[in-house]
Amino acid sequence: MRSKRFREMEDPELIRAAAGMTEGAEIEVDSDGRGNTGKKTLIMDWVKEILIAIIVAMVIMQFIKPTIVKQRSMEPNFYTNDYLLVNKQAYKLFRQTPEMGDVIIFETEMKTENGDEKLLIKRVIGVPGDVISIKDGKVFVNGIEIDDSYTKEQYTNGDIEDLVVPENKLFCLGDNRQVSVDSRSSDVGFVDYKQVVGKAVFRILPFKDFGTIFNPYEE
């Protein structure tokens, strides 16, 4: 006869109980076989997240350029320290062309006080083929007086007669016509498409003006 101790070892209940001690137990082990809290895995997760964030930021920067207004030439629609988002691909990726009323950022040969290249923000008034005239404080495009109710003083100084906008060029004016240095000046002149950095599409600050950029000539 088998001993009581031997019979207990064969008892199915005892066998299942012993097996249950190890079922579901998990031990984290690193590459060298020692148990730890998974620090290496956590570090790798952080590295991956940082790399993904950097890649996403680089992709976004190919499309969007944050810009802070640093001049008065676009008052009363844009003021110093307004924070704008500029779509760098507006006229490139989808092969769109600038339109009358678009607010654009463009490069110039002018320099800042620090000697850096000066960027200007202006509004497109004339596109290739348009005929521009300025007389008695009024602006005419193709012989038709344009609406300037959105400008600061509703008056444009200077005299221009039948100036034709060349191919791949733009005629741009500031909304504050009395102080703006724009296409009326020899320092700026016509703006070449290649000079255009992008189209201002959204205002972040100030919060009271948060939203898309206004185009007075869009219906």
Side-chain angles (χ1 to χ4, degrees):
M1 294 181 63
R2 297 185 180 182
S3 67
K4 180 179 179 182
R5 178 178 177 79
F6 199 85
R7 289 197 300 273
E8 288 178 350
M9 292 180 64
E10 292 182 330
D11 190 324
E13 294 297 331
L14 292 177
I15 294 174
R16 282 195 293 270
M21 295 177 61
T22 59
E23 287 182 357
E26 294 183 358
I27 301 176
E28 291 187 350
V29 181
D30 63 11
S31 59
D32 61 7
R34 296 191 298 252
N36 61 24
T37 58
K39 290 183 179 180
K40 289 186 177 180
T41 300
L42 183 60
I43 292 173
M44 288 303 298
D45 287 342
W46 285 348
V47 171
K48 289 178 182 178
E49 291 180 5
I50 292 172
L51 289 175
I52 290 173
I54 292 173
I55 293 172
V56 170
M58 292 177 64
V59 171
I60 291 176
M61 292 304 291
Q62 293 300 312
F63 290 85
I64 300 296
K65 176 182 176 64
T67 299
I68 299 177
V69 176
K70 291 296 183 183
Q71 52 195 3
R72 298 177 49 233
S73 69
M74 290 297 286
E75 294 178 0
N77 299 298
F78 302 92
Y79 288 86
T80 301
N81 294 326
D82 278 11
Y83 194 94
L84 312 178
L85 297 182
V86 176
N87 184 350
K88 296 168 62 177
Q89 301 297 331
Y91 308 124
K92 298 175 182 178
L93 185 61
F94 302 108
R95 299 186 179 277
Q96 298 177 348
T97 56
E99 297 180 353
M100 182 179 181
D102 286 356
V103 175
I104 64 172
I105 311 296
F106 58 91
E107 301 170 343
T108 71
E109 294 183 356
M110 302 168 66
K111 301 294 182 181
T112 65
E113 295 180 356
N114 297 326
D116 298 327
E117 182 183 75
K118 189 172 186 178
L119 298 177
L120 295 182
I121 175 172
K122 306 295 176 185
R123 193 179 299 275
V124 176
I125 298 299
V127 298
D130 283 345
V131 180
I132 309 295
S133 297
I134 300 177
K135 183 178 181 181
D136 299 328
K138 303 181 185 301
V139 179
F140 299 83
V141 178
N142 300 324
I144 300 174
E145 181 183 347
I146 67 172
D147 176 19
D148 64 357
S149 60
Y150 62 89
T151 64
K152 187 167 186 177
E153 298 180 1
Q154 293 84 56
Y155 184 92
T156 305
N157 54 326
D159 289 304
I160 294 176
E161 183 175 357
D162 296 340
L163 181 66
V164 180
V165 182
E167 184 178 357
N168 295 324
K169 305 281 187 178
L170 301 168
F171 184 88
C172 300
L173 296 175
D175 293 350
N176 187 359
R177 303 278 171 81
Q178 306 307 305
V179 303
S180 177
V181 178
D182 46 43
S183 290
R184 293 170 293 173
S185 169
S186 58
D187 289 334
V188 178
F190 291 117
V191 178
D192 193 286
Y193 281 8
K194 294 179 181 179
Q195 295 174 251
V196 178
V197 175
K199 175 183 177 182
V201 294
F202 205 89
R203 184 184 347 236
I204 300 295
L205 297 174
F207 287 126
K208 67 182 182 65
D209 295 322
F210 183 88
T212 54
I213 301 300
F214 166 67
N215 183 333
Y217 300 111
E218 287 185 348
E219 298 181 356

